[in-house]
Amino acid sequence: MGSGERNMKQTWCFVGGGVRALSGLPDGGSERQVMLLSTELAARGNRVALLVPGPVDADRSSISGVEIVQGWRPESRWPRGIRLWADRLPSLRRAMGRLDPDFVYTRGFSVFAPSVAGAAGRMGVAYLAALACDDDLRTVTSGSPRGAVHSAVYGRIARAAFVRLALRRASIVLSQHSGQLKRCRAMGLESVMVRNAFVPFEKPRVVEGVYDACWIGHLSAFKGFDRLLELLGRIAGRGWRIAVAGSVQGSECRAMLDRARSCGTMEYLGEIPHREALSVIASSKILLNTSPSEGFSNAFLEAWFLERPVLSLNSDPDGLLSGEAPLGICAGGSMDLTEQGLVRLLSDEELRRTMGRAGRCRIETHHLAGAVVDSLERAAAAAACR
């Protein structure tokens, strides 16, 4: 983007979570990306607001130059079950209208994205729908929710509505990697790639030899916690130490965690601050990822910046784990190959060093936040002209 375009300040409205990430607290990967993008845009002199679908702390009107706007009040005269549609979504749309944005941005699947898309269309402003994972393009996900309420809100019908009423009505869909871009185009969706953003950090505390590998993320089917436990069972008795950090999602994963603790291979650290998670990665030899659904985890970037290779069961964004100079190993969904990859990486220090250095180079050439926001602004400008 040229300097003339850069000097034209715009109003951006990010709709979704991200307050915790802006506050330096543990949060999800999508929310962390929203934090990185919004703060960089604000630093460039744009007006940037985070419109939160729900109540927020009234004492926090701005964080790092990003306005925090409440989408709806906690109280409602409508009964549960219909208050989202009758009260809260209309309130969210009104708040969005008061901001009068040039660009509206959501990231990932949500029940409010179709409403945001409709409001942006009526306002005549560009709506950018960013994908947060590969599941965002699917109506049936690997970790489908159970129960009538959760299935209605997060299941197949809600996801079909998201694809039809949000992605198909978006001015442009932002893909994380080339696989998503190809899938979007096959679905007839207008899409460009805006890579995950990364901001370098000071080297965290490193404790040498404490962990052989680590797994970072909330303990859920989406993150593949069940597959991790299968892997831990396969390597029991080898004397390796695997660190696991993240909050537990649901009673099933709580029960699995209780069983896994008895095997002696895993050290569960609970939900920890982001800075501590970086220290865990730095103190490990490799990062494990067993998710069936993620497209491009933020943890990949953090591991590569720390020169740690990634061992992934399924995810292989842009072929980075399977190319001529891979930054780790992708097992292509095979648990046998995952176990073999773990043995190979932990037994070959030079291989880990080579892959780790290549990962650091990838970060510095493709993912720094400034360049990523440049591509976001170009996508937004092109979407506004449609």
Side-chain angles (χ1 to χ4, degrees):
M1 178 171 289
S3 59
E5 292 173 273
R6 178 77 61 83
N7 290 332
M8 295 176 60
K9 307 309 178 186
Q10 309 282 357
T11 296
W12 286 76
C13 176
F14 288 77
V15 186
V19 174
R20 286 178 59 83
L22 281 165
S23 305
L25 300 172
D27 213 339
S30 294
E31 291 78 9
R32 183 160 183 79
Q33 284 297 309
V34 166
M35 178 271 289
L36 294 173
L37 298 174
S38 62
T39 53
E40 175 65 21
L41 284 166
R44 296 183 179 194
N46 297 287
R47 182 192 179 197
V48 183
L50 176 60
L51 178 55
V52 181
V56 297
D57 187 341
D59 295 332
R60 313 178 77 182
S61 60
S62 178
I63 305 175
S64 300
V66 178
E67 299 174 40
I68 309 301
V69 180
Q70 179 173 265
W72 60 69
R73 297 181 181 277
E75 66 276 2
S76 174
R77 62 187 178 85
W78 294 91
R80 291 188 64 182
I82 63 172
R83 66 180 58 162
L84 176 68
W85 320 105
D87 181 18
R88 291 178 170 174
L89 290 181
S91 176
L92 187 73
R93 291 192 294 267
R94 289 191 296 271
M96 189 171 132
R98 288 191 293 271
L99 289 170
D100 191 24
D102 297 293
F103 306 108
V104 177
Y105 178 109
T106 62
R107 191 175 187 91
F109 164 79
S110 69
V111 295
F112 55 80
S115 186
V116 171
R122 288 188 291 274
M123 295 167 62
V125 302
Y127 168 48
L128 287 69
L131 302 178
C133 66
D134 292 350
D135 265 1
D136 289 340
L137 296 170
R138 301 168 181 151
T139 56
V140 180
T141 64
S142 301
S144 297
R146 298 181 180 180
V149 174
H150 281 80
S151 294
V153 178
Y154 299 104
R156 182 180 302 187
I157 295 176
R159 288 188 172 273
F162 171 72
V163 171
R164 181 168 182 174
L165 301 178
L167 297 186
R168 294 199 180 280
R169 293 161 69 183
S171 304
I172 198 161
V173 176
L174 307 180
S175 298
Q176 294 175 295
H177 60 81
S178 58
Q180 290 178 353
L181 185 65
K182 182 178 179 180
R183 176 62 177 153
C184 281
R185 290 174 176 172
M187 295 171 64
L189 299 172
E190 187 72 31
S191 181
V192 297
M193 192 188 308
V194 175
R195 293 186 171 92
N196 284 3
F198 181 84
V199 173
F201 46 78
E202 294 182 3
K203 187 176 181 179
R205 182 177 64 91
V206 178
V207 181
E208 297 291 347
V210 63
Y211 301 123
D212 293 288
C214 65
W215 187 96
I216 309 290
H218 54 75
L219 280 57
S220 66
F222 172 80
K223 292 288 187 178
F225 183 59
D226 55 334
R227 304 308 303 278
L228 172 68
L229 297 193
E230 181 181 345
L231 177 63
L232 294 180
R234 285 169 171 256
I235 63 174
R238 289 183 178 268
W240 293 334
R241 295 184 67 195
I242 312 297
V244 175
S247 61
V248 182
Q249 305 286 307
S251 57
E252 290 185 2
C253 286
R254 170 64 66 184
M256 286 191 286
L257 173 62
D258 292 339
R259 292 195 301 270
R261 282 172 159 162
S262 63
C263 74
T265 304
M266 180 191 74
E267 181 173 337
Y268 178 56
L269 306 175
E271 184 178 27
I272 57 178
H274 184 249
R275 186 68 184 172
E276 290 183 27
L278 296 178
S279 180
V280 171
I281 296 173
S283 301
S284 304
K285 297 173 183 175
I286 64 173
L287 172 73
L288 296 173
N289 182 282
T290 53
S291 174
S293 308
E294 282 185 297
F296 205 148
S297 170
N298 286 333
F300 284 22
L301 306 183
E302 293 159 352
W304 290 335
F305 184 73
L306 293 167
E307 300 188 4
R308 300 297 188 268
V310 173
L311 173 59
S312 170
L313 174 61
N314 295 289
S315 300
D316 184 17
D318 296 322
L320 295 175
L321 303 180
S322 59
E324 293 183 359
L327 317 183
I329 295 174
C330 178
S334 167
M335 190 56 69
D336 289 338
L337 293 180
T338 302
E339 182 181 0
Q340 292 171 24
L342 184 58
V343 172
R344 181 185 174 200
L345 286 171
L346 292 183
S347 62
D348 193 334
E349 183 178 357
E350 183 59 31
L351 178 64
R352 296 198 305 271
R353 185 179 296 111
T354 299
M355 289 179 168
R357 288 173 177 169
R360 177 67 177 249
C361 181
R362 171 74 186 190
I363 295 299
E364 294 172 346
T365 56
H366 288 78
H367 292 280
L368 295 183
V372 172
V373 170
D374 283 346
S375 67
L376 174 62
E377 289 186 314
R378 287 194 296 270
C385 294
R386 290 194 174 90

